[in-house]
Amino acid sequence: MDSLLHSAAGALGQWVHSLNPSLMEDTPPFEEVTGSDICFLGPNGENDESLVVFCRDFTMRSLVGSWYLSPTRHALEMLMLSPIFVLVIWKVLPSLMKLEGSRPATKTDHPLGIPTLAACCMAAHLVYKTLGKKLLFLCVPCNVQWQLTVLICFGNWSRPVQGVLYQLLISYCGYTLPALATPDVSDCLFPFEPFFFWFNHIALLVIPVAYLATGRVSLLSPSPTCSILWFNFQWWLVTCAGFGLFYFLPVSLVSIVSGYNLNYMLSPPPGQDLIVGDSYRLMSIGCCGLLIFLTRGFIVVGELLTKPSKQAEKKAD
């Protein structure tokens, strides 16, 4: 069985490498070292100076990917992890959709100004990404958050689907914090783009709070037969699986084909020595899972602390 798996991974690894033979084996340095640092080899992996792309001629060298992980490693992770993620979603999501569909009818509109904010920020993202030739970076977590917000604000969804979108939006909002804690505006080259970086990330924290504060969204279980703990554990599994499936499969393939290190799927984040090595992506998904867990846990505690007690509700009646 092991030999069969390795054979399949080897064959798939060759196919993965063929998607972009121009990637370097090592990640190019972010700052020029030799004066002739290479960011990409020739189309078929050639070292010929007339075919390679020198970093000095490439404006986005900090975004360049590489074969930091071998093609076989990429193939193994796709083969082993993707089916697990699909299985989790397939088994758990339907029951959660039923629970979301059973929630009492709440406000069907949106908090004041949120649809306009979502439309304007998404439009600004499209303009800046188009001007900077970085449309592929719309698939990084914070930009995906804006796409979720636009879907919520302007889609005509059934109650179960709307509930799923809300749960995803809340679960992933914690990804904004690392971006604010370690901001990278080195590729923000256009007028007001650095300001927009800060504005749109802060807005991504405000929007979920607005939905929660106005009672349009809740992380508490809608059914007395499903405990809050079990409800949120299931949503934690689904959101982690969805995140992993999206980034380990389509985004990884797009990163390889494009040569861009989208969401650090081709090499680890720079400036740190903790999440490195062949298992860095597994460590990263573990950190992302922990962040989702902490985000949901913090919000659940906040909801429980601010929820009126039954005695208080009776007195109010």
Side-chain angles (χ1 to χ4, degrees):
M1 184 65 181
D2 288 342
S3 61
L4 180 62
L5 180 61
H6 282 288
S7 297
L12 189 54
Q14 291 179 356
W15 174 77
V16 169
H17 183 269
S18 70
L19 295 175
N20 195 346
S22 64
L23 289 178
M24 300 281 290
E25 287 191 10
D26 298 315
T27 305
F30 289 166
E31 296 182 359
E32 194 70 19
V33 175
T34 66
S36 56
D37 295 340
I38 297 174
C39 274
F40 296 104
L41 299 172
N44 296 307
E46 304 93 340
N47 282 306
D48 193 304
E49 289 190 4
S50 63
L51 297 175
V52 302
V53 176
F54 291 104
C55 294
R56 63 172 181 259
D57 301 324
F58 195 74
T59 57
M60 295 182 287
R61 65 184 295 166
S62 64
L63 307 177
V64 173
S66 68
W67 291 122
Y68 178 93
L69 297 180
S70 70
T72 302
R73 176 77 187 202
H74 279 280
L76 274 172
E77 291 184 355
M78 290 178 193
L79 275 175
M80 298 178 69
L81 295 178
S82 298
I84 295 174
F85 295 143
V86 170
L87 182 64
V88 169
I89 295 170
W90 177 49
K91 287 293 186 181
V92 181
L93 184 58
S95 61
L96 289 174
M97 292 185 70
K98 288 181 181 179
L99 285 171
E100 291 298 331
S102 69
R103 287 189 185 276
T106 57
K107 301 175 182 176
T108 57
D109 61 340
H110 302 278
L112 182 64
I114 296 300
T116 302
L117 177 63
C120 290
C121 284
M122 194 67 242
H125 271 298
L126 288 171
V127 170
Y128 282 129
K129 296 295 185 289
T130 301
L131 291 175
K133 299 179 180 179
K134 297 182 296 182
L135 278 173
L136 290 178
F137 283 82
L138 288 173
C139 69
V140 302
C142 292
N143 294 334
V144 171
Q145 280 281 93
W146 280 114
Q147 294 165 58
L148 281 173
T149 306
V150 168
L151 286 174
I152 288 171
C153 290
F154 299 103
N156 184 22
W157 311 106
S158 64
R159 191 180 301 174
V161 174
Q162 187 86 346
V164 170
L165 293 174
Y166 279 141
Q167 293 291 336
L168 293 176
L169 181 72
I170 301 300
S171 297
Y172 296 147
C173 70
Y175 290 134
T176 308
L177 297 175
L180 290 171
T182 57
D184 180 9
V185 294
S186 59
D187 61 333
C188 296
L189 307 175
F190 296 99
F192 305 107
E193 194 174 5
F195 167 79
F196 178 69
F197 172 90
W198 290 101
F199 176 82
N200 94 89
H201 281 88
I202 293 172
L204 284 175
L205 291 177
V206 173
I207 289 172
V209 171
Y211 278 103
L212 287 161
T214 55
R216 291 172 170 83
V217 185
S218 175
L219 268 58
L220 304 183
S221 173
S223 171
T225 61
C226 180
S227 69
I228 296 173
L229 182 61
W230 179 239
F231 178 75
N232 279 278
F233 175 72
Q234 290 183 92
W235 268 118
W236 176 77
L237 286 176
V238 168
T239 50
C240 287
F243 184 89
L245 182 64
F246 182 60
Y247 285 102
F248 273 80
L249 196 57
V251 173
S252 288
L253 290 173
V254 171
S255 296
I256 291 169
V257 172
S258 68
Y260 288 119
N261 190 21
L262 303 174
N263 201 41
Y264 304 113
M265 297 312 294
L266 297 185
S267 59
Q272 53 86 34
D273 298 316
L274 182 62
I275 302 177
V276 294
D278 286 347
S279 300
Y280 90 89
R281 298 205 307 180
L282 301 181
M283 291 187 281
S284 296
I285 195 67
C287 292
C288 291
L290 177 61
L291 185 57
I292 293 174
F293 177 83
L294 294 175
T295 300
R296 293 189 68 90
F298 178 80
I299 293 172
V300 167
V301 170
E303 279 200 81
L304 290 173
L305 291 176
T306 56
K307 182 182 178 182
S309 65
K310 293 183 178 179
Q311 290 183 348
E313 291 176 352
K314 288 180 180 179
K315 289 181 180 179
D317 292 339

Short mmCIF file of all heavy atoms in Angstrom, two decimals, residues 157-207:
data_model
loop_
_atom_site.label_atom_id
_atom_site.label_comp_id
_atom_site.label_asym_id
_atom_site.label_seq_id
_atom_site.Cartn_x
_atom_site.Cartn_y
_atom_site.Cartn_z
N TRP A 157 -30.35 34.26 -0.99
CA TRP A 157 -30.09 32.90 -0.55
C TRP A 157 -31.21 32.35 0.33
O TRP A 157 -31.91 33.10 0.99
CB TRP A 157 -28.77 32.85 0.26
CG TRP A 157 -27.62 33.52 -0.42
CD1 TRP A 157 -27.06 34.72 -0.09
CD2 TRP A 157 -26.89 33.04 -1.55
NE1 TRP A 157 -26.03 35.04 -0.94
CE2 TRP A 157 -25.90 34.01 -1.85
CE3 TRP A 157 -26.98 31.89 -2.34
CZ2 TRP A 157 -25.00 33.86 -2.90
CZ3 TRP A 157 -26.08 31.74 -3.39
CH2 TRP A 157 -25.11 32.72 -3.65
N SER A 158 -31.32 31.03 0.33
CA SER A 158 -32.22 30.38 1.28
C SER A 158 -31.64 30.55 2.68
O SER A 158 -30.46 30.86 2.85
CB SER A 158 -32.37 28.90 0.94
OG SER A 158 -31.12 28.23 1.09
N ARG A 159 -32.50 30.34 3.69
CA ARG A 159 -32.04 30.53 5.06
C ARG A 159 -30.86 29.62 5.42
O ARG A 159 -29.89 30.09 6.05
CB ARG A 159 -33.20 30.32 6.05
CG ARG A 159 -32.84 30.76 7.47
CD ARG A 159 -34.00 30.55 8.42
NE ARG A 159 -35.16 31.31 8.00
CZ ARG A 159 -36.35 31.21 8.59
NH1 ARG A 159 -36.53 30.37 9.60
NH2 ARG A 159 -37.36 31.94 8.16
N PRO A 160 -30.84 28.33 5.04
CA PRO A 160 -29.69 27.49 5.38
C PRO A 160 -28.40 27.98 4.73
O PRO A 160 -27.34 28.01 5.38
CB PRO A 160 -30.09 26.11 4.85
CG PRO A 160 -31.57 26.12 4.84
CD PRO A 160 -31.95 27.53 4.48
N VAL A 161 -28.47 28.37 3.45
CA VAL A 161 -27.26 28.84 2.76
C VAL A 161 -26.79 30.16 3.37
O VAL A 161 -25.59 30.37 3.57
CB VAL A 161 -27.52 29.00 1.25
CG1 VAL A 161 -26.31 29.63 0.56
CG2 VAL A 161 -27.83 27.65 0.63
N GLN A 162 -27.73 31.05 3.66
CA GLN A 162 -27.37 32.32 4.29
C GLN A 162 -26.69 32.06 5.64
O GLN A 162 -25.71 32.72 5.99
CB GLN A 162 -28.63 33.18 4.50
CG GLN A 162 -28.33 34.60 5.01
CD GLN A 162 -28.03 35.56 3.88
OE1 GLN A 162 -27.79 35.15 2.76
NE2 GLN A 162 -28.06 36.84 4.18
N GLY A 163 -27.21 31.08 6.38
CA GLY A 163 -26.60 30.73 7.66
C GLY A 163 -25.18 30.23 7.50
O GLY A 163 -24.30 30.56 8.31
N VAL A 164 -24.93 29.44 6.46
CA VAL A 164 -23.58 28.94 6.20
C VAL A 164 -22.64 30.10 5.90
O VAL A 164 -21.52 30.17 6.42
CB VAL A 164 -23.59 27.94 5.03
CG1 VAL A 164 -22.15 27.60 4.60
CG2 VAL A 164 -24.32 26.66 5.42
N LEU A 165 -23.07 31.03 5.06
CA LEU A 165 -22.24 32.19 4.71
C LEU A 165 -21.93 33.03 5.95
O LEU A 165 -20.80 33.49 6.14
CB LEU A 165 -22.93 33.04 3.65
CG LEU A 165 -23.10 32.40 2.27
CD1 LEU A 165 -23.93 33.30 1.36
CD2 LEU A 165 -21.75 32.11 1.65
N TYR A 166 -22.94 33.23 6.82
CA TYR A 166 -22.70 33.96 8.06
C TYR A 166 -21.66 33.26 8.93
O TYR A 166 -20.75 33.89 9.47
CB TYR A 166 -24.01 34.09 8.85
CG TYR A 166 -24.93 35.20 8.39
CD1 TYR A 166 -26.32 35.01 8.36
CD2 TYR A 166 -24.43 36.43 8.01
CE1 TYR A 166 -27.17 36.02 7.96
CE2 TYR A 166 -25.28 37.45 7.60
CZ TYR A 166 -26.65 37.24 7.57
OH TYR A 166 -27.49 38.25 7.17
N GLN A 167 -21.79 31.95 9.06
CA GLN A 167 -20.87 31.19 9.92
C GLN A 167 -19.45 31.25 9.37
O GLN A 167 -18.48 31.35 10.14
CB GLN A 167 -21.34 29.74 10.05
CG GLN A 167 -22.64 29.57 10.81
CD GLN A 167 -22.51 29.87 12.29
OE1 GLN A 167 -21.44 29.80 12.86
NE2 GLN A 167 -23.63 30.20 12.91
N LEU A 168 -19.30 31.19 8.06
CA LEU A 168 -17.98 31.30 7.45
C LEU A 168 -17.39 32.69 7.69
O LEU A 168 -16.21 32.83 8.04
CB LEU A 168 -18.05 31.02 5.95
CG LEU A 168 -18.42 29.59 5.53
CD1 LEU A 168 -18.54 29.51 4.01
CD2 LEU A 168 -17.37 28.60 6.03
N LEU A 169 -18.22 33.71 7.51
CA LEU A 169 -17.76 35.09 7.71
C LEU A 169 -17.24 35.30 9.13
O LEU A 169 -16.16 35.87 9.33
CB LEU A 169 -18.90 36.06 7.41
CG LEU A 169 -18.55 37.56 7.55
CD1 LEU A 169 -17.65 38.00 6.40
CD2 LEU A 169 -19.82 38.40 7.58
N ILE A 170 -18.00 34.82 10.10
CA ILE A 170 -17.60 34.99 11.51
C ILE A 170 -16.35 34.16 11.81
O ILE A 170 -15.42 34.64 12.47
CB ILE A 170 -18.76 34.59 12.44
CG1 ILE A 170 -20.00 35.44 12.17
CG2 ILE A 170 -18.33 34.72 13.90
CD1 ILE A 170 -19.81 36.91 12.37
N SER A 171 -16.31 32.93 11.34
CA SER A 171 -15.19 32.04 11.65
C SER A 171 -13.87 32.57 11.11
O SER A 171 -12.82 32.42 11.75
CB SER A 171 -15.44 30.64 11.08
OG SER A 171 -16.57 30.04 11.67
N TYR A 172 -13.91 33.18 9.92
CA TYR A 172 -12.67 33.61 9.28
C TYR A 172 -12.26 35.04 9.61
O TYR A 172 -11.21 35.50 9.15
CB TYR A 172 -12.80 33.47 7.76
CG TYR A 172 -13.00 32.04 7.27
CD1 TYR A 172 -13.77 31.78 6.14
CD2 TYR A 172 -12.42 30.97 7.93
CE1 TYR A 172 -13.96 30.46 5.69
CE2 TYR A 172 -12.61 29.66 7.50
CZ TYR A 172 -13.38 29.42 6.38
OH TYR A 172 -13.57 28.13 5.94
N CYS A 173 -13.08 35.76 10.37
CA CYS A 173 -12.75 37.16 10.63
C CYS A 173 -11.47 37.31 11.44
O CYS A 173 -10.81 38.35 11.39
CB CYS A 173 -13.92 37.88 11.31
SG CYS A 173 -14.24 37.39 13.02
N GLY A 174 -11.09 36.26 12.18
CA GLY A 174 -9.86 36.33 12.96
C GLY A 174 -8.60 36.43 12.12
O GLY A 174 -7.55 36.86 12.60
N TYR A 175 -8.69 36.05 10.83
CA TYR A 175 -7.52 36.12 9.96
C TYR A 175 -7.08 37.55 9.70
O TYR A 175 -5.97 37.79 9.21
CB TYR A 175 -7.80 35.42 8.63
CG TYR A 175 -7.92 33.92 8.75
CD1 TYR A 175 -8.96 33.24 8.13
CD2 TYR A 175 -7.01 33.19 9.49
CE1 TYR A 175 -9.08 31.86 8.23
CE2 TYR A 175 -7.13 31.82 9.61
CZ TYR A 175 -8.16 31.16 8.98
OH TYR A 175 -8.27 29.79 9.10
N THR A 176 -7.96 38.50 10.00
CA THR A 176 -7.60 39.91 9.83
C THR A 176 -6.55 40.35 10.85
O THR A 176 -5.73 41.23 10.57
CB THR A 176 -8.86 40.79 9.98
OG1 THR A 176 -9.88 40.29 9.11
CG2 THR A 176 -8.58 42.23 9.63
N LEU A 177 -6.55 39.73 12.02
CA LEU A 177 -5.66 40.16 13.10
C LEU A 177 -4.18 40.00 12.75
O LEU A 177 -3.39 40.92 12.99
CB LEU A 177 -6.00 39.42 14.39
CG LEU A 177 -7.41 39.68 14.94
CD1 LEU A 177 -7.68 38.80 16.15
CD2 LEU A 177 -7.56 41.16 15.31
N PRO A 178 -3.74 38.85 12.21
CA PRO A 178 -2.32 38.75 11.83
C PRO A 178 -1.91 39.78 10.79
O PRO A 178 -0.78 40.29 10.83
CB PRO A 178 -2.20 37.32 11.27
CG PRO A 178 -3.31 36.57 11.91
CD PRO A 178 -4.43 37.56 12.04
N ALA A 179 -2.83 40.09 9.86
CA ALA A 179 -2.51 41.10 8.84
C ALA A 179 -2.31 42.48 9.46
O ALA A 179 -1.46 43.26 9.01
CB ALA A 179 -3.62 41.14 7.79
N LEU A 180 -3.09 42.78 10.50
CA LEU A 180 -2.94 44.07 11.18
C LEU A 180 -1.74 44.06 12.12
O LEU A 180 -1.09 45.09 12.32
CB LEU A 180 -4.21 44.38 11.97
CG LEU A 180 -5.46 44.72 11.14
CD1 LEU A 180 -6.69 44.79 12.03
CD2 LEU A 180 -5.25 46.04 10.40
N ALA A 181 -1.44 42.90 12.71
CA ALA A 181 -0.32 42.81 13.64
C ALA A 181 1.03 42.85 12.93
O ALA A 181 2.01 43.39 13.46
CB ALA A 181 -0.43 41.53 14.47
N THR A 182 1.08 42.26 11.73
CA THR A 182 2.33 42.25 10.95
C THR A 182 2.04 42.78 9.54
O THR A 182 2.08 42.04 8.56
CB THR A 182 2.92 40.83 10.87
OG1 THR A 182 1.93 39.94 10.30
CG2 THR A 182 3.31 40.33 12.24
N PRO A 183 1.74 44.07 9.42
CA PRO A 183 1.32 44.62 8.12
C PRO A 183 2.47 44.61 7.10
O PRO A 183 3.62 44.87 7.44
CB PRO A 183 0.91 46.05 8.47
CG PRO A 183 1.70 46.39 9.70
CD PRO A 183 1.81 45.10 10.47
N ASP A 184 2.12 44.30 5.87
CA ASP A 184 3.07 44.34 4.76
C ASP A 184 2.46 45.18 3.65
O ASP A 184 1.57 44.72 2.93
CB ASP A 184 3.39 42.94 4.27
CG ASP A 184 4.40 42.95 3.11
OD1 ASP A 184 4.96 44.02 2.82
OD2 ASP A 184 4.61 41.88 2.50
N VAL A 185 2.91 46.42 3.55
CA VAL A 185 2.38 47.32 2.52
C VAL A 185 3.43 47.58 1.44
O VAL A 185 3.34 48.58 0.72
CB VAL A 185 1.91 48.65 3.16
CG1 VAL A 185 0.72 48.43 4.07
CG2 VAL A 185 3.05 49.32 3.93
N SER A 186 4.41 46.68 1.34
CA SER A 186 5.49 46.88 0.38
C SER A 186 4.99 46.87 -1.07
O SER A 186 5.63 47.45 -1.95
CB SER A 186 6.57 45.81 0.56
OG SER A 186 6.03 44.51 0.38
N ASP A 187 3.88 46.17 -1.31
CA ASP A 187 3.35 46.12 -2.67
C ASP A 187 2.17 47.05 -2.88
O ASP A 187 1.48 46.98 -3.89
CB ASP A 187 2.95 44.69 -3.04
CG ASP A 187 1.86 44.14 -2.13
OD1 ASP A 187 1.78 44.59 -0.98
OD2 ASP A 187 1.10 43.25 -2.57
N CYS A 188 1.94 47.96 -1.92
CA CYS A 188 0.88 48.97 -2.05
C CYS A 188 1.50 50.20 -2.72
O CYS A 188 2.04 51.09 -2.04
CB CYS A 188 0.30 49.32 -0.69
SG CYS A 188 -0.55 47.95 0.12
N LEU A 189 1.42 50.26 -4.03
CA LEU A 189 2.18 51.24 -4.81
C LEU A 189 1.35 52.40 -5.34
O LEU A 189 1.92 53.39 -5.80
CB LEU A 189 2.87 50.54 -5.98
CG LEU A 189 3.73 49.31 -5.63
CD1 LEU A 189 4.25 48.66 -6.91
CD2 LEU A 189 4.87 49.70 -4.72
N PHE A 190 0.04 52.29 -5.27
CA PHE A 190 -0.82 53.28 -5.92
C PHE A 190 -1.36 54.28 -4.89
O PHE A 190 -1.33 54.02 -3.68
CB PHE A 190 -1.95 52.58 -6.66
CG PHE A 190 -1.46 51.70 -7.78
CD1 PHE A 190 -1.33 50.33 -7.60
CD2 PHE A 190 -1.10 52.26 -8.99
CE1 PHE A 190 -0.86 49.52 -8.61
CE2 PHE A 190 -0.63 51.45 -10.03
CZ PHE A 190 -0.50 50.09 -9.84
N PRO A 191 -1.85 55.43 -5.36
CA PRO A 191 -2.35 56.45 -4.43
C PRO A 191 -3.41 55.90 -3.48
O PRO A 191 -4.33 55.21 -3.91
CB PRO A 191 -2.94 57.52 -5.37
CG PRO A 191 -2.18 57.35 -6.64
CD PRO A 191 -1.89 55.89 -6.76
N PHE A 192 -3.24 56.22 -2.21
CA PHE A 192 -4.16 55.84 -1.13
C PHE A 192 -4.22 54.32 -0.87
O PHE A 192 -5.00 53.87 -0.04
CB PHE A 192 -5.59 56.35 -1.40
CG PHE A 192 -5.67 57.83 -1.65
CD1 PHE A 192 -5.91 58.32 -2.93
CD2 PHE A 192 -5.48 58.73 -0.61
CE1 PHE A 192 -5.97 59.68 -3.16
CE2 PHE A 192 -5.54 60.10 -0.84
CZ PHE A 192 -5.79 60.57 -2.11
N GLU A 193 -3.40 53.54 -1.57
CA GLU A 193 -3.46 52.09 -1.36
C GLU A 193 -2.99 51.68 0.04
O GLU A 193 -3.61 50.80 0.66
CB GLU A 193 -2.65 51.35 -2.42
CG GLU A 193 -2.96 49.85 -2.45
CD GLU A 193 -2.28 49.11 -3.58
OE1 GLU A 193 -1.49 49.75 -4.32
OE2 GLU A 193 -2.53 47.90 -3.73
N PRO A 194 -1.92 52.29 0.60
CA PRO A 194 -1.56 51.95 1.99
C PRO A 194 -2.67 52.28 2.97
O PRO A 194 -2.94 51.50 3.90
CB PRO A 194 -0.31 52.81 2.25
CG PRO A 194 0.27 53.03 0.89
CD PRO A 194 -0.91 53.18 -0.02
N PHE A 195 -3.33 53.43 2.78
CA PHE A 195 -4.46 53.78 3.64
C PHE A 195 -5.59 52.76 3.49
O PHE A 195 -6.19 52.34 4.49
CB PHE A 195 -4.99 55.18 3.29
CG PHE A 195 -6.33 55.48 3.91
CD1 PHE A 195 -6.43 55.86 5.25
CD2 PHE A 195 -7.51 55.38 3.16
CE1 PHE A 195 -7.67 56.13 5.82
CE2 PHE A 195 -8.74 55.64 3.73
CZ PHE A 195 -8.82 56.02 5.06
N PHE A 196 -5.85 52.36 2.25
CA PHE A 196 -6.92 51.38 2.02
C PHE A 196 -6.59 50.05 2.68
O PHE A 196 -7.50 49.35 3.15
CB PHE A 196 -7.14 51.19 0.51
CG PHE A 196 -8.20 50.17 0.19
CD1 PHE A 196 -9.53 50.43 0.47
CD2 PHE A 196 -7.86 48.95 -0.38
CE1 PHE A 196 -10.52 49.49 0.19
CE2 PHE A 196 -8.83 48.01 -0.67
CZ PHE A 196 -10.16 48.28 -0.38
N PHE A 197 -5.32 49.69 2.71
CA PHE A 197 -4.92 48.45 3.39
C PHE A 197 -5.42 48.46 4.83
O PHE A 197 -6.03 47.49 5.30
CB PHE A 197 -3.40 48.30 3.36
CG PHE A 197 -2.87 47.17 4.21
CD1 PHE A 197 -2.71 45.91 3.67
CD2 PHE A 197 -2.54 47.36 5.55
CE1 PHE A 197 -2.23 44.85 4.45
CE2 PHE A 197 -2.07 46.32 6.33
CZ PHE A 197 -1.92 45.06 5.77
N TRP A 198 -5.15 49.55 5.54
CA TRP A 198 -5.58 49.63 6.95
C TRP A 198 -7.09 49.73 7.07
O TRP A 198 -7.70 49.05 7.90
CB TRP A 198 -4.91 50.83 7.62
CG TRP A 198 -3.45 50.66 7.81
CD1 TRP A 198 -2.44 51.16 7.05
CD2 TRP A 198 -2.81 49.88 8.84
NE1 TRP A 198 -1.22 50.77 7.54
CE2 TRP A 198 -1.41 49.98 8.64
CE3 TRP A 198 -3.28 49.13 9.91
CZ2 TRP A 198 -0.49 49.35 9.47
CZ3 TRP A 198 -2.37 48.50 10.75
CH2 TRP A 198 -1.00 48.62 10.52
N PHE A 199 -7.69 50.55 6.22
CA PHE A 199 -9.14 50.77 6.31
C PHE A 199 -9.90 49.48 6.08
O PHE A 199 -10.81 49.13 6.85
CB PHE A 199 -9.56 51.82 5.28
CG PHE A 199 -11.05 52.04 5.23
CD1 PHE A 199 -11.67 52.89 6.14
CD2 PHE A 199 -11.84 51.40 4.28
CE1 PHE A 199 -13.05 53.09 6.11
CE2 PHE A 199 -13.21 51.59 4.23
CZ PHE A 199 -13.81 52.43 5.15
N ASN A 200 -9.53 48.73 5.03
CA ASN A 200 -10.35 47.55 4.69
C ASN A 200 -10.15 46.43 5.70
O ASN A 200 -11.07 45.66 5.96
CB ASN A 200 -10.07 47.10 3.25
CG ASN A 200 -9.02 46.04 3.12
OD1 ASN A 200 -9.30 44.85 3.16
ND2 ASN A 200 -7.78 46.46 2.94
N HIS A 201 -8.97 46.33 6.32
CA HIS A 201 -8.76 45.29 7.32
C HIS A 201 -9.52 45.60 8.62
O HIS A 201 -10.06 44.70 9.26
CB HIS A 201 -7.27 45.11 7.60
CG HIS A 201 -6.56 44.29 6.56
ND1 HIS A 201 -6.02 44.85 5.42
CD2 HIS A 201 -6.33 42.95 6.48
CE1 HIS A 201 -5.47 43.89 4.69
NE2 HIS A 201 -5.65 42.74 5.30
N ILE A 202 -9.54 46.87 8.99
CA ILE A 202 -10.31 47.26 10.18
C ILE A 202 -11.80 47.05 9.92
O ILE A 202 -12.55 46.57 10.78
CB ILE A 202 -10.01 48.72 10.56
CG1 ILE A 202 -8.55 48.85 11.03
CG2 ILE A 202 -10.96 49.20 11.65
CD1 ILE A 202 -8.09 50.27 11.24
N ALA A 203 -12.25 47.38 8.70
CA ALA A 203 -13.66 47.18 8.35
C ALA A 203 -14.05 45.71 8.42
O ALA A 203 -15.18 45.37 8.79
CB ALA A 203 -13.93 47.73 6.95
N LEU A 204 -13.12 44.81 8.10
CA LEU A 204 -13.41 43.37 8.16
C LEU A 204 -13.65 42.90 9.59
O LEU A 204 -14.28 41.85 9.80
CB LEU A 204 -12.25 42.58 7.54
CG LEU A 204 -12.17 42.58 6.01
CD1 LEU A 204 -10.93 41.86 5.54
CD2 LEU A 204 -13.42 41.95 5.40
N LEU A 205 -13.16 43.64 10.57
CA LEU A 205 -13.46 43.32 11.96
C LEU A 205 -14.78 43.95 12.40
O LEU A 205 -15.51 43.38 13.21
CB LEU A 205 -12.34 43.82 12.87
CG LEU A 205 -10.99 43.10 12.76
CD1 LEU A 205 -9.96 43.78 13.66
CD2 LEU A 205 -11.14 41.63 13.14
N VAL A 206 -15.09 45.11 11.86
CA VAL A 206 -16.30 45.83 12.24
C VAL A 206 -17.55 45.14 11.71
O VAL A 206 -18.57 45.04 12.40
CB VAL A 206 -16.24 47.29 11.74
CG1 VAL A 206 -17.58 48.01 11.97
CG2 VAL A 206 -15.11 48.04 12.43
N ILE A 207 -17.50 44.62 10.49
CA ILE A 207 -18.68 44.03 9.85
C ILE A 207 -19.25 42.85 10.64
O ILE A 207 -20.46 42.82 10.92
CB ILE A 207 -18.37 43.65 8.39
CG1 ILE A 207 -18.21 44.92 7.55
CG2 ILE A 207 -19.47 42.78 7.80
CD1 ILE A 207 -17.71 44.67 6.14
#
